[in-house]
C-alpha cells in the first residue's frame, strides 16, 4: 500500500489531495516531532532531507511534494498526467513556477497577514509578498482566460500542484480581482479529494 509520511497540517496536505484523486488506498504515517523538530528515524530513511512529505510505494521512494504528486499521477491517474511532450512541459512549467516563484510569497503573506498575532506581524514583509502574489495571480488569470484548467481541457496534476501550494490564498481578500483564477480556484477546491484533505487538515 502507498505510505505517505507527514501530517495534514504540513505540505503533506498537497499529496493527501493528490492521493485522494487517484482513489488508491493509502496509509498516512504521522512523523514524530520533538520540541518542534522532526525526530523520526523512519522518515529520515525515506527522505534524507528530514522533511515531510515523503512517499513509499513498494520499491519506490519519492520526496518533494510536487514530485510525489507527479509520480502519483503517472502511476495511478492517467487522465491527470501529461498526454504528450507538450503537456509534460506545461505541467512542469506550472509546477516549477508555483514552487519557485510563488510559494515563498504565499507563506510570507500568510505568516504576516493572517497567522501571526497582530503585534508579531511585519507589515513590510506582508506588503512585499502581496505585490508578488498579485503579479503571479495576474499571470495565472491571463493563462486561465477562456479555459477551465491549466493544461489541456481536463483537470490535471498541474491544477492540484498550483492550487494546493496556494492553499493559504483561500482567504486572500483580493482573489475576486482575478475572476478567472477565482473560478478555477473554487473549482479545484470543490473537488471531493480537496475537501477531504482540507477536512483532515482543519478538523
Ligand atoms: N520543498 C519541500 C519542502 C518540505 C518542507 O519544508 N516540509 C516541512 C513541513 S511543511 C518540514 O518538513 N519541515 C521540517 C524542517 O524543516 O525541519 C516539499 O515541497 O516537499
Amino acid at each position: 500500500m502507498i505510505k505517505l509520511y507527514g501530517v495534514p497540517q504540513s505540505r503533506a496536505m498537497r499529496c493527501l489531495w493528490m492521493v485522494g484523486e487517484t482513489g488508491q488506498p493509502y496509509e498516512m504515517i504521522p512523523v514524530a516531532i520533538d520540541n518542534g523538530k522532526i525526530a523520526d528515524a523512519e522518515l529520515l530513511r525515506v527522505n534524507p532531507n528530514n522533511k515531510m512529505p515523503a512517499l513509499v510505494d513498494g520499491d519506490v521512494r519519492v520526496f518533494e511534494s510536487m514530485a510525489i504528486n507527479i509520480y502519483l499521477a503517472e502511476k495511478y491517474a492517467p487522465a491527470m498526467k501529461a498526454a504528450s511532450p507538450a503537456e509534460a512541459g506545461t505541467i512542469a512549467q506550472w509546477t516549477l513556477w508555483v514552487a519557485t516563484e510563488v510559494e515563498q510569497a504565499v507563506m510570507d503573506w500568510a505568516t504576516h497577514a493572517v497567522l501571526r498575532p497582530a503585534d508579531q506581524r511585519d507589515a513590510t514583509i506582508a506588503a512585499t509578498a502581496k505585490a508578488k502574489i498579485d503579479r503571479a495571480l495576474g499571470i495565472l488569470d491571463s493563462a486561465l482566460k477562456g479555459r477551465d484548467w491549466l493544461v489541456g481541457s481536463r483537470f490535471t496534476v498541474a491544477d492540484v500542484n498550483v492550487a494546493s501550494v496556494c492553499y493559504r490564498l483561500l482567504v486572500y481578500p483580493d482573489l475576486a480581482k482575478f475572476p478567472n483564477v477565482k473560478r478555477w480556484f473554487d473549482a479545484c477546491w470543490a473537488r471531493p479529494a480537496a475537501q477531504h484533505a482540507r477536512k483532515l487538515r482543519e478538523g
Side-chain angles (χ1 to χ4, degrees):
M1 190 186 307
I2 296 168
K3 287 184 181 174
L4 180 62
Y5 291 80
V7 295
Q9 292 73 24
S10 73
R11 288 171 175 87
M13 188 184 68
R14 303 165 179 178
C15 306
L16 263 178
W17 178 352
M18 184 61 216
V19 81
E21 295 285 351
T22 71
Q24 292 292 310
Y26 68 94
E27 188 184 354
M28 181 109 198
I29 303 180
V31 304
I33 295 181
D34 186 25
N35 261 335
K37 288 204 179 284
I38 294 179
D40 196 308
E42 197 178 332
L43 175 73
L44 192 57
R45 277 197 295 276
V46 180
N47 183 356
N49 299 286
N50 204 27
K51 291 186 177 183
M52 55 186 157
L55 175 133
V56 174
D57 184 22
D59 293 340
V60 176
R61 291 162 184 233
V62 187
F63 59 78
E64 284 295 328
S65 56
M66 303 284 93
I68 291 170
N69 284 357
I70 287 171
Y71 166 78
L72 289 169
E74 286 289 330
K75 181 143 189 209
Y76 297 112
M80 291 180 69
K81 70 176 193 173
S84 65
E87 283 197 1
T90 313
I91 287 173
Q93 167 196 288
W94 287 118
T95 299
L96 291 167
W97 174 77
V98 81
T100 61
E101 302 287 332
V102 186
E103 177 172 357
Q104 190 59 51
V106 170
M107 306 270 268
D108 286 347
W109 174 79
T111 302
H112 291 281
V114 180
L115 299 172
R116 285 197 181 165
D119 62 346
Q120 291 169 34
R121 294 177 190 172
D122 183 323
T124 309
I125 293 176
T128 304
K130 186 178 181 304
K132 286 183 187 164
I133 293 168
D134 282 349
R135 182 164 181 271
L137 291 178
I139 290 165
L140 205 51
D141 205 63
S142 299
L144 286 164
K145 192 173 175 198
R147 54 188 308 138
D148 290 336
W149 307 111
L150 287 171
V151 180
S153 53
R154 67 196 190 284
F155 182 73
T156 70
V157 63
D159 299 295
V160 177
N161 284 350
V162 176
S164 64
V165 169
C166 293
Y167 164 71
R168 294 287 181 193
L169 302 187
L170 282 163
V171 294
Y172 197 64
D174 285 353
L175 202 62
K177 289 187 183 162
F178 305 91
N180 299 315
V181 176
K182 172 91 176 88
R183 170 179 49 76
W184 163 85
F185 203 53
D186 287 349
C188 289
W189 283 101
R191 294 184 68 86
Q195 294 281 306
H196 183 64
R198 270 193 84 177
K199 200 169 157 206
L200 291 176
R201 181 182 180 118
E202 297 165 14

